[in-house]
């Protein structure tokens, strides 16, 4: 059962999303109207997928996405927003989003994005710009046993990048990258970075 949290500051649209997802056989466990509320909800009971608006008062969707993904690497975030410019898409992907759909898209695209994110895949809806550098940094698909963000860090470890270089590439803090590296080593069963890099290369 895929558990979802829907985040949007417009009640009518938010409730419409809840109805759409519920009708599609998905389970919405909570709603939030701001990025701060989303972070708090996920801290209490991390869902499988968060549907995240970008333009909200207070903590915006990009910052909320980064905080949620950093704190709960196995929670995927799908952005559902009015913004369809490449800079917004790039910022969302760099923050750790696993999907991006514009609000005008066919409802089926939103459901498809949620299902893809729940399986660890990246989904960009029709008409959404493809910022190639950001997509490349995340890797073609997550490694088995790793979340999309962990997979992105693992891919860059496999290329021999330092923590500082990974942080710059993914737009994360050094501390956040260090936490991800530690998690990746554990999940891969690697004793150190060199072994992790070897495992990543072998799995590819």
């Amino acid at each position: 059962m895929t558990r979802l949290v829907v985040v949007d500051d417009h009640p009518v649209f938010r409730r419409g999303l809840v109805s759409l997802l519920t009708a599609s056989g998905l389970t919405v466990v909570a709603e939030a109207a701001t990025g701060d509320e989303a972070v708090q909800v996920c801290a209490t009971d991390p869902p499988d997928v968060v549907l995240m608006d970008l333009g909200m008062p207070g903590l915006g969707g990009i910052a909320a996405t980064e905080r949620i993904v950093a704190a709960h690497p196995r929670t995927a975030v799908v952005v559902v927003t009015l913004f369809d410019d490449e800079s917004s898409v790039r910022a969302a992907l760099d923050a750790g989003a696993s999907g991006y759909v514009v609000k005008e898209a066919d409802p089926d695209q939103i459901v498809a994005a949620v299902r893809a994110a729940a399986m660890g895949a990246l989904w960009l809806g029709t008409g959404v710009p493809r910022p190639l550098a950001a997509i490349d940094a995340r890797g073609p698909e997550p490694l088995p046993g790793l979340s999309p963000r962990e997979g992105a860090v693992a891919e860059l470890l496999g290329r021999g990048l330092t923590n500082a270089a990974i942080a710059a590439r993914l737009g994360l803090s050094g501390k956040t990258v260090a936490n991800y590296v530690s998690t990746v080593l554990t999940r891969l069963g690697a004793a150190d970075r060199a072994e992790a890099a070897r495992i990543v290369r072998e799995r590819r």
Side-chain angles (χ1 to χ4, degrees), residues 112-184:
V114 169
R115 296 193 187 283
M119 293 187 294
L122 174 66
W123 178 282
L124 299 181
T126 302
V128 173
R130 267 66 174 167
L132 297 180
I135 294 172
D136 176 65
R138 293 168 56 86
E141 60 182 29
L143 289 159
L146 301 182
S147 71
R149 198 50 150 175
E150 291 166 356
V153 172
E155 286 289 339
L156 297 180
L157 270 178
R159 300 179 195 179
L161 272 66
T162 64
N163 281 13
I166 294 172
R169 183 72 179 269
L170 298 180
L172 300 175
S173 69
K175 182 178 180 180
T176 297
V177 170
N179 290 338
Y180 274 123
V181 169
S182 177
T183 299
V184 167

Side-chain angles (χ1 to χ4, degrees), residues 13-155:
F13 184 79
R14 187 173 68 244
R15 290 166 190 161
L17 272 182
V18 171
S19 297
L20 167 67
L21 297 167
T22 302
S24 300
L26 299 165
T27 302
V28 177
V29 296
E31 300 176 35
T34 67
D36 289 303
E37 288 182 11
V39 171
Q40 292 171 7
V41 167
C42 291
T44 302
D45 185 17
D48 299 304
V49 180
V50 176
L51 275 76
M52 180 73 71
D53 188 18
L54 292 187
M56 297 180 290
L59 187 69
I62 297 296
T65 294
E66 182 167 6
R67 292 189 189 183
I68 289 169
V69 173
H72 315 286
R74 293 199 171 278
T75 294
V77 176
V78 173
V79 170
V80 183
T81 180
L82 290 171
F83 304 128
D84 61 358
D85 58 286
E86 182 172 334
S87 61
S88 294
V89 179
R90 182 183 298 276
L93 295 180
D94 284 345
S98 298
Y100 198 107
V101 184
V102 294
K103 289 183 175 180
E104 291 83 356
D106 188 288
D108 288 345
Q109 286 199 35
I110 296 176
V111 175
V114 169
R115 296 193 187 283
M119 293 187 294
L122 174 66
W123 178 282
L124 299 181
T126 302
V128 173
R130 267 66 174 167
L132 297 180
I135 294 172
D136 176 65
R138 293 168 56 86
E141 60 182 29
L143 289 159
L146 301 182
S147 71
R149 198 50 150 175
E150 291 166 356
V153 172
E155 286 289 339

Side-chain angles (χ1 to χ4, degrees), residues 186-202:
T186 299
R187 296 199 191 286
L188 294 179
D192 53 31
R193 298 172 68 94
E195 185 177 2
R198 177 183 59 77
I199 291 172
V200 170
R201 291 192 295 269
E202 289 177 350

